């Protein structure tokens, strides 16, 4: 019954909208923004589902200076707030002024803080959510100094693992019910990610899953 309430085509349609919107000319028209608040932009841990993001966040979590949040609705809350602003999502991103961007940042941090230990003294916050790969453009607009950790795994392994996994049904995961639709979603998400890399000055460090498991100690 839950699966009947979700729509994989709706998720693909959103990717299409983002792919058409994010062009060099559109991004060039964005108003500039520099945050004056003391709180630094987070690090976002991305990658296609089953690419090794959980393995990497487990490793990073062992460091006392790093705090990890796992698949929390931080960016979804920002999207919901953006929808209520003129232009909506994503068109309204180009017209955001400094006060509106600060408002969206406040929405993000308010949600983030719900999932952090108030006694945690870690100096680096890592927000891990594979589905935020599709939202990298929104993230960059709100957090222009954000850094991205991107985990990349062989597409055959990713697609097969997603097909085999028992995910909770939502608009994205419902595409993993068969291999063909899973491969199609992988292609669309990764193509959009490459497009983001081309039109936005993202600060990205890519971690290969195969290298990670072969050289775990390193």
């Amino acid at each position: 019954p839950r699966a009947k309430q979700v729509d994989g085509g709706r998720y693909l349609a959103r990717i299409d909208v983002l792919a058409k919107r994010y062009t060099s000319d559109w991004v060039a028209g964005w108003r500039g923004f520099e945050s004056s608040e003391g709180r630094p932009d987070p690090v976002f841990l991305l990658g296609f589902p089953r690419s090794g993001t959980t393995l990497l966040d487990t490793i990073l979590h062992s460091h006392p200076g790093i705090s990890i949040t796992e698949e929390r609705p931080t960016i979804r809350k920002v999207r919901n707030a953006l929808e209520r602003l003129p232009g909506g999502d994503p068109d309204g991103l180009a017209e955001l002024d400094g006060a509106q961007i600060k408002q969206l940042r406040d929405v993000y941090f308010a949600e983030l803080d719900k999932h952090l230990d108030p006694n945690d003294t870690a100096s680096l916050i890592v927000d891990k959510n594979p589905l935020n790969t599709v939202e990298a453009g929104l993230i960059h607009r709100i957090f222009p100094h954000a850094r991205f950790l991107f985990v990349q795994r062989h597409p055959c392994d990713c697609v097969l693992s997603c097909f085999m996994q028992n995910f909770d049904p939502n608009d994205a995961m419902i595409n993993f019910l068969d291999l063909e639709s899973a491969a199609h979603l992988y292609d669309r998400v990764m193509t959009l990610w490459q497009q983001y890399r081309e039109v936005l000055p993202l600060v990205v460090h890519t971690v290969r899953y195969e290298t990670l498991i072969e050289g775990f100690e390193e």
Side-chain angles (χ1 to χ4, degrees):
R2 288 180 60 193
K4 292 180 180 180
Q5 299 175 18
V6 300
D7 182 0
R10 186 163 50 205
Y11 192 73
L12 293 170
R14 171 166 170 75
I15 293 175
D16 283 344
V17 169
L18 295 172
K20 291 176 182 177
R21 178 61 64 228
Y22 277 86
T23 64
S24 298
D25 290 341
W26 187 62
V27 170
W30 286 0
R31 298 183 185 181
F33 171 77
E34 287 295 333
S35 173
S36 59
E37 62 192 15
R39 196 161 186 177
D41 292 357
V43 175
F44 291 88
L45 176 51
L46 310 178
F48 200 77
R50 306 299 296 167
S51 62
T53 55
T54 301
L55 174 62
L56 183 57
D57 93 44
T58 301
I59 297 170
L60 295 175
H61 194 67
S62 67
H63 193 293
I66 299 176
S67 184
I68 308 277
T69 63
E70 297 186 356
E71 303 185 27
R72 300 301 184 178
T74 50
I75 296 302
R76 188 173 73 228
K77 296 286 187 179
V78 173
R79 275 191 59 199
N80 292 342
L82 177 61
E83 287 285 5
R84 296 190 290 270
L85 294 177
D89 175 34
D91 292 356
L93 290 174
E95 304 301 323
L96 292 176
D97 58 27
Q100 291 169 325
I101 292 178
K102 183 181 183 304
Q103 175 185 341
L104 295 175
R105 290 169 66 96
D106 289 345
V107 169
Y108 174 88
F109 284 123
E111 180 63 28
L112 179 71
D113 288 343
K114 295 178 184 177
H115 310 290
L116 295 175
D117 184 341
N119 298 317
D120 193 343
T121 59
S123 58
L124 184 66
I125 305 297
V126 177
D127 185 339
K128 173 254 184 177
N129 193 330
L131 294 182
N132 281 344
T133 301
V134 170
E135 308 299 342
L138 168 61
I139 292 171
H140 175 74
R141 182 66 173 122
I142 308 303
F143 297 105
H145 299 296
R147 291 164 290 172
F148 295 87
L149 274 172
F150 188 79
V151 186
Q152 185 173 337
R153 186 182 185 186
H154 194 289
C156 292
D157 288 327
C158 264
V159 169
L160 179 60
S161 185
C162 285
F163 171 66
M164 296 170 64
Q165 189 74 9
N166 185 24
F167 289 115
D168 286 337
N170 59 37
D171 285 358
M173 301 308 185
I174 204 71
N175 288 283
F176 297 140
L177 290 180
D178 63 74
L179 283 171
E180 184 175 357
S181 61
H184 184 62
L185 180 61
Y186 181 93
D187 176 61
R188 300 282 283 278
V189 170
M190 297 298 280
T191 298
L192 179 62
W193 170 250
Q194 289 178 324
Q195 182 175 338
Y196 284 143
R197 296 291 308 271
E198 292 170 1
V199 302
L200 298 170
L202 303 182
V203 180
V204 180
H205 179 68
T206 299
V207 177
R208 292 286 307 216
Y209 172 81
E210 292 81 5
T211 303
L212 182 65
I213 61 174
E214 289 174 1
F216 182 84
E217 290 298 328
E218 289 81 0

